[in-house]
């Protein structure tokens, strides 16, 4: 991907985070893989609605060195750690979306209560063990919770959503929020009933290997 194109995509993604109520203020962060060893990430402390392509920061995934006058998001190590672990992932958004944050605060794993959750995100959504924001530990814990999944909760913090491209990362965030809301509300009317583990695994693999590719044709 050309660097200017990547910068534009991240700017647009930042504004989309606000529009879809996935973050408030300057919280959360978004990145896109530029090359094997580089990513473009949102800067820390700047409002999404004011971001211009030149405000974004190019960061070395291996060393966390960066170029430019702005500092990268304080969660740069989280993004870099995910890119190093998941070679097929090219976009990451860290959100503070309401219903996902509720389950993160309760430290409750989300079972496969909806077909689209199993398909797009995985057979469940784990909670990464608590660690302070921006720490090495939170990056390590989140990478572990994401194994075989496209999203994870960060205990008492929020969620992180992955995609092979930016559009897919947003689909993951949208489906996750819908499923969290459904699960929370279903608990008030007798409890949510989960899809069987085998069926959930099958649906996720089918989505990754066939259905999502068919959509691109």
């Amino acid at each position: 991907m050309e660097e200017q194109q990547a910068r534009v995509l991240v700017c647009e993604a930042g504004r989309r985070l606000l529009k879809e109520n996935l973050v408030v203020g300057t919280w959360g962060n978004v990145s896109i893989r530029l090359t094997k060893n580089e990513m473009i990430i949102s800067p820390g402390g700047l409002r999404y609605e004011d971001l211009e392509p030149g405000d974004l920061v190019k960061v070395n995934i291996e060393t966390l060195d960066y170029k430019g006058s702005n500092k990268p998001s304080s969660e740069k190590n989280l993004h870099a750690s995910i890119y190093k672990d998941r070679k097929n992932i090219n976009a990451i958004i860290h959100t503070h979306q309401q219903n996902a944050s509720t389950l993160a605060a309760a430290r409750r794993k989300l079972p496969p209560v909806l077909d689209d959750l199993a398909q797009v995100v995985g057979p469940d959504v784990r909670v990464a063990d608590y660690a302070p924001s921006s720490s090495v530990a939170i990056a390590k814990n989140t990478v572990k919770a994401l194994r075989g999944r496209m999203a994870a909760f960060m205990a008492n913090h929020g969620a992180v959503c992955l995609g092979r491209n930016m559009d897919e990362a947003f689909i993951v965030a949208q489906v996750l929020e819908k499923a969290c809301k459904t699960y929370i509300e279903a608990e008030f009317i007798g409890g949510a009933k989960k899809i069987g583990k085998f069926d959930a695994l099958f649906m996720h693999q089918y989505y990754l290997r066939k259905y999502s590719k068919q959509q691109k044709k």
Side-chain angles (χ1 to χ4, degrees):
M1 179 178 292
E2 295 292 331
E3 181 173 335
Q4 184 62 21
Q5 179 188 5
R7 288 175 175 273
V8 169
L9 281 174
V10 173
C11 280
E12 292 174 345
R15 286 187 278 273
R16 189 173 173 186
L17 283 174
L18 287 177
K19 182 179 179 181
E20 299 189 15
N21 296 315
L22 297 174
V23 297
V24 294
T26 62
W27 301 108
N29 32 74
V30 56
S31 73
I32 197 165
R33 189 195 294 270
L34 183 60
T35 67
K36 179 182 177 181
N37 297 315
E38 292 179 312
M39 64 179 173
I40 299 294
I41 192 168
S42 53
L46 296 184
R47 301 195 315 168
Y48 292 110
E49 56 265 50
D50 297 333
L51 284 183
E52 298 292 339
D55 296 325
L56 306 179
V57 190
K58 184 194 296 187
V59 177
N60 186 294
I61 291 171
E62 298 294 332
T63 67
L64 299 183
D65 292 335
Y66 62 92
K67 299 177 181 178
S69 57
N70 290 329
K71 291 183 179 181
S73 166
S74 60
E75 297 287 5
K76 61 185 181 296
N77 185 48
L78 170 67
H79 290 247
S81 296
I82 294 169
Y83 285 132
K84 285 190 286 187
D85 188 68
R86 301 282 291 272
K87 305 302 183 183
N88 66 323
I89 294 303
N90 297 304
I92 300 168
I93 55 176
H94 165 44
T95 73
H96 290 181
Q97 56 202 80
Q98 181 60 58
N99 290 288
S101 295
T102 297
L103 291 185
R107 302 189 185 182
R108 292 277 295 272
K109 184 195 315 190
L110 176 63
V113 293
L114 295 174
D115 283 349
D116 52 2
L117 176 73
Q119 292 163 359
V120 176
V121 181
D124 56 34
V125 182
R126 306 185 189 102
V127 184
D129 291 342
Y130 180 78
S133 300
S134 310
S135 65
V136 172
I138 192 60
K140 180 180 179 181
N141 295 348
T142 304
V143 166
K144 180 180 178 181
L146 281 166
R147 294 281 165 80
R149 309 292 187 269
M150 298 295 278
F153 301 126
M154 300 165 71
N156 303 93
H157 190 86
V160 62
C161 302
L162 315 183
R164 289 167 290 183
N165 54 55
M166 192 65 75
D167 283 340
E168 186 172 62
F170 271 95
I171 290 170
V172 168
Q174 291 164 339
V175 170
L176 177 64
E177 186 68 358
K178 172 190 167 188
C180 289
K181 186 174 188 292
T182 299
Y183 178 65
I184 292 167
E185 293 179 352
E187 289 296 279
F188 288 98
I189 55 171
K193 306 299 186 288
K194 66 181 181 179
I195 298 166
K197 183 177 180 180
F198 175 81
D199 287 333
L201 282 167
F202 176 81
M203 284 189 283
H204 186 51
Q205 291 303 313
Y206 181 83
Y207 170 81
L208 291 176
R209 297 178 182 180
K210 299 189 83 172
Y211 183 75
S212 58
K213 294 180 180 179
Q214 292 170 354
Q215 285 183 310
K216 295 178 183 178
K217 292 182 180 180

